[in-house]
Amino acid sequence: MRTGIGYDIHRLVSGRPLVLGGVEIPYEKGLQGHSDADVLVHAVCDALLGAAGLGDIGRHFPDTDPAWKDVSSLILLAETWRMASMNFGAVVNVDATIFAQRPRLLPYVDAMARNLADCLVIEAGRINIKATTTEGLGMIGQSEAMAAMCVVLLE
Ligand code: MG
């Protein structure tokens, strides 16, 4: 068994769709980045790569590579699991927290879990996604950014 941790943060800007866990969420801003900037999926990828001892997301999917421009981060996650699964049998569980002041994310977390589960080839019950605000504090509280943290256990 091996565990890994992942963290990511992206800036919120106008004129971009908000995609979290592969779910497009109606909101006035979206996350800025080279791919779809799915901060949750990036944190999960890093946790998975950490557990598998495979470095980090920037090493495998550099933001200078046109192949990953505007790509769905679910594709990155599926590819990350393909690499990790060469040495590990299964993901035991994923526990993640999204930090966002707005919008309310609870209505979307089940759909996010199903998307992640599909990429990791496990049942959605092994994935737990939480969302919290930062009580209006700091850049996340001022809706200038969203962040996510994640831990993964591999067997
Ligand atoms: Mg990222």
Side-chain angles (χ1 to χ4, degrees), residues 95-117:
D95 187 23
T97 300
I98 304 167
F99 300 83
Q101 191 62 37
R102 288 181 298 130
R104 193 171 146 75
L105 298 176
L106 186 62
Y108 306 101
V109 295
D110 287 347
M112 294 180 201
R114 284 194 297 273
N115 285 342
L116 300 188

Side-chain angles (χ1 to χ4, degrees), residues 8-10 37-39 42 57:
D8 196 24
I9 184 166
H10 280 262
D38 190 327
V39 71
H42 292 183
I57 191 170

Side-chain angles (χ1 to χ4, degrees), residues 21-148:
V23 179
E24 192 165 327
I25 295 165
Y27 188 52
E28 64 205 45
K29 296 186 201 173
L31 296 169
Q32 187 175 48
H34 183 67
S35 63
D36 63 1
D38 190 327
V39 71
L40 171 62
V41 173
H42 292 183
V44 177
C45 286
D46 254 358
L48 202 53
L49 290 166
L54 291 172
D56 64 29
I57 191 170
R59 182 164 125 191
H60 296 281
F61 311 107
D63 62 9
T64 51
D65 186 340
W68 313 122
K69 175 97 177 98
D70 294 327
V71 78
S72 167
S73 293
L74 293 176
I75 290 171
L76 308 187
L77 181 59
E79 174 62 14
T80 297
W81 172 239
R82 190 193 64 76
M83 291 187 281
S85 65
M86 290 175 183
N87 293 313
F88 294 90
V91 174
V92 178
N93 75 302
V94 172
D95 187 23
T97 300
I98 304 167
F99 300 83
Q101 191 62 37
R102 288 181 298 130
R104 193 171 146 75
L105 298 176
L106 186 62
Y108 306 101
V109 295
D110 287 347
M112 294 180 201
R114 284 194 297 273
N115 285 342
L116 300 188
D118 286 348
C119 294
L120 301 174
V121 202
I122 52 175
E123 60 272 34
R126 288 179 181 265
I127 297 180
N128 192 79
I129 299 170
K130 310 179 293 296
T132 186
T133 71
T134 60
E135 301 284 339
L137 295 165
M139 57 194 166
I140 293 170
Q142 298 301 312
S143 296
E144 294 169 5
M146 288 184 182

